[in-house]
Amino acid sequence: MDFTKNETAAPTDTVPPAKRLRRTRDGKMIAGVCSGTGDYLGVDPNVLRLGLGLFTLLGGAGVALYAIAWVLIPEEGAATSIGEDLLRKAGESPQIQDLIQKTKDGMNKHVTR
């Protein structure tokens, strides 16, 4: 018996890349929210679409959920989401910074009375 270690064998403990929630371009109908979420969860995107359709018919929450996901989930290949881009631009805007400061000052006046 030969108990020598075979050093040319490929390692079996390779770590797969981390799954990330992204809006996909493949299989998308509107913005890729359901297809990206389906890929991430391992669920058929049509099941998610049916669920959102039911939420929409039973009170309109499906449209709101889809819109929120569209803003918060980045697209494939993009580093940031639409929401992150908007927040960054708003933070750089002098008008928004002035509005935030005025709001803080107004809140402090009411608290110190």
Side-chain angles (χ1 to χ4, degrees):
M1 278 203 232
D2 187 15
F3 291 107
T4 59
K5 192 175 190 180
N6 185 359
E7 295 180 15
T8 59
T12 58
D13 59 342
T14 58
V15 178
K19 284 175 61 172
R20 294 186 180 227
L21 180 58
R22 300 281 186 203
R23 292 184 291 122
T24 61
R25 293 184 186 121
D26 297 334
K28 75 177 189 176
M29 291 192 156
I30 298 174
V33 171
C34 290
S35 62
T37 305
D39 286 347
Y40 182 76
L41 297 175
V43 176
D44 184 15
N46 291 323
V47 172
L48 298 173
R49 290 179 183 116
L50 285 173
L52 282 173
L54 283 174
F55 279 132
T56 300
L57 292 175
L58 299 175
V63 174
L65 288 172
Y66 195 89
I68 291 168
W70 190 344
V71 170
L72 296 179
I73 300 172
E75 189 174 12
E76 273 182 331
T80 59
S81 69
I82 296 169
E84 289 174 303
D85 291 340
L86 290 173
L87 284 174
R88 188 184 77 252
K89 287 178 185 176
E92 295 170 356
S93 171
Q95 293 88 2
I96 299 295
Q97 291 176 359
D98 186 44
L99 179 64
I100 291 171
Q101 188 60 45
K102 286 180 181 178
T103 304
K104 286 180 182 178
D105 293 343
M107 295 294 284
N108 288 335
K109 284 182 185 178
H110 292 292
V111 171
T112 58
R113 284 188 182 179

